């Protein structure tokens, strides 16, 4: 049986509250779980006590092969229980293909306009002298 340490949503509409649970990967997000091992209240301020984790139970389930989701792994990294590898995606900030094509087209048009303006200036200076 494959296990995940993941979030199960609770709370009312527009007032989220999450339980950190150990569940079978096949069970639904808010459905059946094996054990609740913590909670996360995103409505509290960041410097407050947003995340509560039972470290002993987390270590137990990690030793039994449970894999945390990315969000839970962030919490475990902050608590010093597990290490989350740093991610690096330098291409994410670049614009898409169409936007790059538009930018190249605009740059080319500006260069042509500047070249045309420079040619007109040299012609007008030559005609004036």
């Amino acid at each position: 049986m494959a296990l995940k340490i993941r979030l199960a949503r609770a709370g009312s509409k527009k007032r989220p509250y999450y339980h950190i649970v150990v569940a079978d990967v096949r069970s639904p997000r808010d459905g059946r779980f094996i054990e609740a091992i913590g909670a996360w209240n995103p409505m509290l301020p960041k410097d407050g006590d947003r995340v509560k984790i039972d470290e002993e139970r987390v270590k137990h389930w990690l030793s039994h092969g449970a894999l945390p989701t990315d969000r839970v792994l962030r919490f475990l990294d902050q608590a010093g229980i597990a290490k989350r590898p740093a991610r690096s995606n330098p291409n994410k900030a670049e614009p898409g293909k169409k936007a790059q094509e538009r930018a190249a087209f605009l740059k080319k048009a500006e260069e042509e306009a500047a070249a045309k303006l420079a040619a007109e200036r040299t012609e007008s200076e030559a005609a004036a002298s």
Side-chain angles (χ1 to χ4, degrees):
M1 174 167 65
L3 299 174
K4 280 274 191 190
I5 301 176
R6 65 183 182 201
L7 297 174
R9 180 163 172 146
S12 60
K13 182 175 165 185
K14 307 224 183 219
R15 304 282 301 170
Y17 185 86
Y18 296 91
H19 298 283
I20 301 172
V21 298
V22 178
D24 185 2
V25 295
R26 297 168 293 186
S27 63
R29 179 192 72 178
D30 300 336
R32 192 166 133 196
F33 60 88
I34 299 168
E35 182 181 0
I37 57 175
W40 174 44
N41 187 354
M43 299 299 288
L44 294 176
K46 290 190 178 187
D47 58 346
D49 193 21
R50 295 173 84 168
V51 180
K52 296 174 186 149
I53 299 174
D54 185 355
E55 291 185 32
E56 182 181 315
R57 296 307 294 166
V58 170
K59 290 177 183 175
H60 166 79
W61 286 110
L62 288 174
S63 69
H64 279 76
L67 296 174
T69 59
D70 186 55
R71 176 62 61 180
V72 173
L73 190 57
R74 288 175 187 226
F75 299 149
L76 298 180
D77 188 27
Q78 289 173 351
I81 299 169
K83 186 71 179 138
R84 180 175 175 261
R87 294 185 174 186
S88 176
N89 188 359
N91 298 331
K92 184 175 182 179
E94 292 180 3
K97 184 178 176 183
K98 292 255 185 181
Q100 288 178 351
E101 290 173 0
R102 282 192 300 267
F105 179 76
L106 288 173
K107 186 176 180 182
K108 183 180 175 185
E110 288 175 359
E111 289 173 355
E112 289 175 356
K116 186 177 179 182
L117 185 63
E120 288 176 0
R121 281 186 185 167
T122 54
E123 286 179 12
S124 63
E125 290 174 0
S129 19

